[in-house]
Amino acid sequence: MKNVLMAAALSSALCSAQAATVSFELDPLKSNVSMASLLPSNFTFTAATLTVQVQAAGFELSAPALGGYQLANETHGSTPCPAGGSYLFCEGVVRSYVREQVREYVPTSQSARLTVGSASVAGNNNGAPLTLINKVAGNYAEDSSSSAAQDVVFGYNFDSNGVATPIYQYLLTTSNYATQDYLLQYDRQRLTLQVQLDSATLASLNSQKGFSYGLQGSLVWDPASAQLQYEGYAAAVPEPASAMLLLGGLGVLGIAARRRRPQA
């Protein structure tokens, strides 16, 4: 029993369990990655999960979508009265109508597959939500303009002979139509692929501080951001107290072995 306790104390003094995450890049044009500079030395990996984010590499310009005219502004003011006739007042109304023509820069349809050892996972960005990051106003074009005049009888003037002369209210309505062009820009979408490293890949990680992988798919040529979440244990330099415990344990084991030695 004492030997077992001493072995446990020895293991506790020499090893310490750890869990951490490191970030790096995976190049789709390569097939292996070395992580010696990112991972602790004298470390034994017992489990690891690789998470990779691949960005959509480009955008597609959609066909323009044309909306209907909406009243944007209306102003009222006086306007010159027509020659002849009797007018109480003459009013001019200007109405401005604007419609939007919208085009979208949408991230391209993309698929990717990540393979590490015997583990493989695939994904695509079809149906992924879009995040609008910019709305750029483009050309503003005047489409057309039209005017319509209208005389409305407001009342009558009667002369001394009882002859009635109409009094008009004059209304001149001008309608202006224009189209405003907009370009909507969306954030580049990201595919998230995640695999758990198998025993063969963990062995490579332990012996070479790296592993082989495959990252294929449509429009995948930019380096992908990756994270390795790992667990394991590292050899630790014993502290003075641990060292004394270790030496004491070794002494006890030596004495026990000596007592068990058969007498000549």
Side-chain angles (χ1 to χ4, degrees), residues 163-246:
V163 178
T165 303
I167 303 173
Y168 294 103
Q169 173 187 346
Y170 179 74
L171 178 64
L172 177 65
T173 303
T174 301
S175 299
N176 298 319
Y177 299 89
T179 298
Q180 173 72 71
D181 188 53
Y182 287 101
L183 181 63
L184 306 185
Q185 296 178 339
Y186 294 92
D187 191 17
R188 295 175 66 183
Q189 292 173 303
R190 294 164 178 82
L191 303 179
T192 300
L193 308 173
Q194 188 176 79
V195 297
Q196 188 170 357
L197 274 56
D198 58 16
S199 57
T201 307
L202 285 175
S204 174
L205 202 58
N206 283 321
S207 61
Q208 303 176 18
K209 291 296 185 290
F211 56 87
S212 299
Y213 66 91
L215 183 57
Q216 302 89 20
S218 63
L219 302 175
V220 178
W221 55 73
D222 292 338
S225 60
Q227 285 188 335
L228 184 69
Q229 185 177 7
Y230 62 85
E231 298 177 3
Y233 55 90
V237 178
E239 297 180 357
S242 300
M244 293 300 294
L245 177 62
L246 175 61

Side-chain angles (χ1 to χ4, degrees), residues 137-161:
N139 296 328
Y140 186 90
E142 294 290 344
D143 296 339
S144 63
S145 181
S146 61
S147 297
Q150 182 182 15
D151 283 342
V152 178
V153 176
F154 185 80
Y156 295 90
N157 280 331
F158 294 89
D159 60 13
S160 58
N161 296 321

Side-chain angles (χ1 to χ4, degrees), residues 9-241:
L10 176 62
S11 175
S12 176
L14 293 179
C15 302
S16 59
Q18 293 184 13
T21 301
V22 293
S23 300
F24 56 100
E25 287 186 347
L26 282 185
D27 191 339
L29 301 179
K30 296 183 179 180
S31 60
N32 56 74
V33 59
S34 175
M35 305 180 64
S37 61
L38 300 175
L39 300 175
S41 58
N42 300 323
F43 192 87
T44 300
F45 296 89
T46 58
T49 300
L50 178 65
T51 303
V52 176
Q53 282 196 341
V54 182
Q55 284 189 334
F59 295 88
E60 297 173 347
L61 183 61
S62 68
L66 196 60
Y69 286 107
Q70 302 293 330
L71 179 63
N73 189 34
E74 180 176 313
T75 59
H76 295 255
S78 61
T79 189
C81 295
S86 178
Y87 292 92
L88 180 65
F89 61 89
C90 300
E91 182 183 16
V93 178
V94 179
R95 297 189 177 99
S96 298
Y97 297 89
V98 177
R99 62 180 177 178
E100 292 186 357
Q101 177 175 269
V102 177
R103 294 176 298 162
E104 296 180 315
Y105 264 132
V106 181
T108 51
S109 177
Q110 183 182 27
S111 62
R113 176 175 291 276
L114 174 65
T115 302
V116 182
S118 61
S120 182
V121 64
N124 60 68
N125 64 354
N126 296 335
L130 298 175
T131 302
L132 182 65
I133 59 174
N134 202 8
K135 182 177 181 181
V136 182
N139 296 328
Y140 186 90
E142 294 290 344
D143 296 339
S144 63
S145 181
S146 61
S147 297
Q150 182 182 15
D151 283 342
V152 178
V153 176
F154 185 80
Y156 295 90
N157 280 331
F158 294 89
D159 60 13
S160 58
N161 296 321
V163 178
T165 303
I167 303 173
Y168 294 103
Q169 173 187 346
Y170 179 74
L171 178 64
L172 177 65
T173 303
T174 301
S175 299
N176 298 319
Y177 299 89
T179 298
Q180 173 72 71
D181 188 53
Y182 287 101
L183 181 63
L184 306 185
Q185 296 178 339
Y186 294 92
D187 191 17
R188 295 175 66 183
Q189 292 173 303
R190 294 164 178 82
L191 303 179
T192 300
L193 308 173
Q194 188 176 79
V195 297
Q196 188 170 357
L197 274 56
D198 58 16
S199 57
T201 307
L202 285 175
S204 174
L205 202 58
N206 283 321
S207 61
Q208 303 176 18
K209 291 296 185 290
F211 56 87
S212 299
Y213 66 91
L215 183 57
Q216 302 89 20
S218 63
L219 302 175
V220 178
W221 55 73
D222 292 338
S225 60
Q227 285 188 335
L228 184 69
Q229 185 177 7
Y230 62 85
E231 298 177 3
Y233 55 90
V237 178
E239 297 180 357

